[in-house]
Amino acid sequence: DRMVSDGSLQPRMRPVRVRVEIAPGVRSSNLYMFHTEFELTNHCNTRCLHCPHETMRRPRGRLEWDTFRTVIHKISEYVGGDRFSISFSGMGEPLLHPEIFRFVRYAAGLKATTSFATNGSALTEKNISKLIEAGLSQVYYSFNGSHRELFEKMTGGLSFATGLANLRHAIRLSQGTPL
């Protein structure tokens, strides 16, 4: 994101080259899908060792619904009915935004492929089900450690047992869905 003169944040937008397997063994690298990233919030509930979140100097906040709707409609018009890709990621935990399901549902309704990265702490069975129902395409789970001590050190104290249980729930509930 970038700050503009009125102090608001503008989402980063860029075209991305996508490699697609058209048929077994036949790939195309000449297809493009428009991609943008929306930071739903820069609030985070962890203090991961590898993350620069603590050095961020801009104010904490959340993306407003009206701003999102305005920008996503401009993107939809720009791509002329073609599919496009949205990642709801950034310096915060997307699941801390109370309207994440509304954002995902709306974007999916406009033919967007939707994704986000999460630390998994709020990826409960209820939230996974709501994300699947909303049309989330992909979730990137940052599982930072193969054993309890390392995981809890890397994530600033998140529970390894809860993180592992949430990951298992996500895998189980997503079986047979587009997620």
Side-chain angles (χ1 to χ4, degrees):
D1 293 350
R2 57 188 164 92
M3 188 77 69
V4 292
S5 60
D6 67 358
S8 64
L9 294 177
Q10 298 294 314
R12 291 176 284 174
M13 294 188 276
R14 59 188 164 94
V16 175
R17 177 168 273 190
V18 179
R19 255 187 113 154
V20 177
E21 185 168 347
I22 298 170
V26 179
R27 295 186 181 274
S28 171
S29 59
N30 297 321
L31 300 174
Y32 291 89
M33 181 184 291
F34 188 87
H35 176 77
T36 190
E37 297 176 8
F38 286 91
E39 181 176 80
L40 292 184
T41 182
N42 58 6
H43 291 276
C44 191
N45 58 341
T46 63
R47 297 299 171 259
C48 297
L49 291 180
H50 59 278
C51 181
H53 188 270
E54 292 302 307
T55 63
M56 183 175 62
R57 298 190 189 279
R58 60 188 164 97
R60 303 284 192 257
R62 293 190 298 211
L63 179 64
E64 296 293 328
W65 173 253
D66 289 338
T67 302
F68 172 75
R69 240 177 49 135
T70 298
V71 174
I72 197 169
H73 276 282
K74 289 181 182 205
I75 294 169
S76 185
E77 289 172 13
Y78 176 78
V79 299
D82 289 340
R83 291 192 64 78
F84 57 101
S85 171
I86 293 177
S87 175
F88 296 106
S89 297
M91 288 299 289
E93 170 55 48
L95 287 166
L96 296 181
H97 195 298
E99 294 189 277
I100 186 170
F101 312 107
R102 183 180 184 195
F103 284 95
V104 170
R105 182 176 295 107
Y106 197 79
L110 292 173
K111 295 171 59 174
T113 299
T114 56
S115 66
F116 69 87
T118 179
N119 63 37
S121 61
L123 201 59
T124 62
E125 286 188 69
K126 179 182 176 183
N127 284 344
I128 295 163
S129 295
K130 289 171 74 174
L131 289 164
I132 290 168
E133 181 183 307
L136 186 69
S137 306
Q138 292 181 314
V139 62
Y140 300 95
Y141 194 126
S142 296
F143 199 85
N144 297 299
S146 59
H147 59 277
R148 186 185 63 78
E149 294 82 14
L150 179 59
F151 179 90
E152 292 177 1
K153 180 179 180 179
M154 290 299 296
T155 61
L158 287 182
S159 163
F160 178 78
T162 300
L164 187 56
N166 286 351
L167 177 58
R168 288 180 173 150
H169 294 314
I171 292 168
R172 179 178 51 80
L173 291 171
S174 67
Q175 295 298 308
T177 74
L179 179 61

